[in-house]
Amino acid sequence: MIIRPILTGFCATAAIFASASAAAHGPGDIVKPNFEQTIPNLPGKSLVAVEVEYPPGAASLPHVHAKSAFIYAYVVSGAVESKVNDGDVHVYRAGESWSEPPGASHPVSRNASKTQPAKLLAVFVVDSNDKELTTPVR
């Protein structure tokens, strides 16, 4: 039956988005699934995108990303303060972007403003079997 493959695909997609949206986000940030698909010409790889909305003053908890995840981050609106690995803290404004290498540590990811919201699009190229896209640092 066609229902079983559809349900299996839906459950796999839901698991990816659940780990992306719940694992390392802090009080006040809102993570929404945006896109997920396997990459046909890169066997074993998937493209996963999530939107991270930061109300004024909101932040994500410090976290690490999946060891296979290459990330492209694009600020859709507002300004986002970010630090990757041991790099400097940098403020990215709407229209600016950065990348993060596989297994990156993300000790700072927050709205740079206490009065204006910010929105970030995070695009992951990741091993399809990596379900935990972010893990909180304890």
Side-chain angles (χ1 to χ4, degrees):
M1 288 187 72
I2 196 164
I3 300 291
R4 184 171 292 173
I6 290 171
L7 285 175
T8 301
F10 175 78
C11 290
T13 301
I16 287 171
F17 286 138
S19 28
S21 64
H25 298 284
D29 65 343
I30 302 159
V31 181
K32 298 178 185 176
N34 181 280
F35 181 84
E36 189 272 331
Q37 184 172 332
T38 58
I39 304 173
N41 61 339
L42 292 174
K45 294 289 186 181
S46 291
L47 186 70
V48 178
V50 296
E51 294 176 16
V52 182
E53 295 179 12
Y54 292 107
S60 298
L61 296 173
H63 57 278
V64 294
H65 291 292
K67 293 194 184 309
S68 71
F70 174 80
I71 302 157
Y72 168 74
Y74 177 82
V75 179
V76 176
S77 62
V80 174
E81 192 171 15
S82 180
K83 177 178 177 164
V84 178
N85 293 327
D86 294 326
D88 294 332
V89 175
H90 187 84
V91 175
Y92 297 91
R93 303 194 186 291
E96 296 181 325
S97 60
W98 70 94
S99 66
E100 300 180 22
S105 169
H106 208 163
V108 176
S109 183
R110 61 182 165 231
N111 189 337
S113 173
K114 301 284 187 213
T115 60
Q116 299 296 314
K119 183 190 252 185
L120 169 72
L121 179 68
V123 180
F124 294 71
V125 176
V126 64
D127 286 350
S128 297
N129 61 358
D130 264 346
K131 304 303 180 204
E132 297 269 346
L133 298 180
T134 58
T135 304
V137 174
R138 307 214 186 267

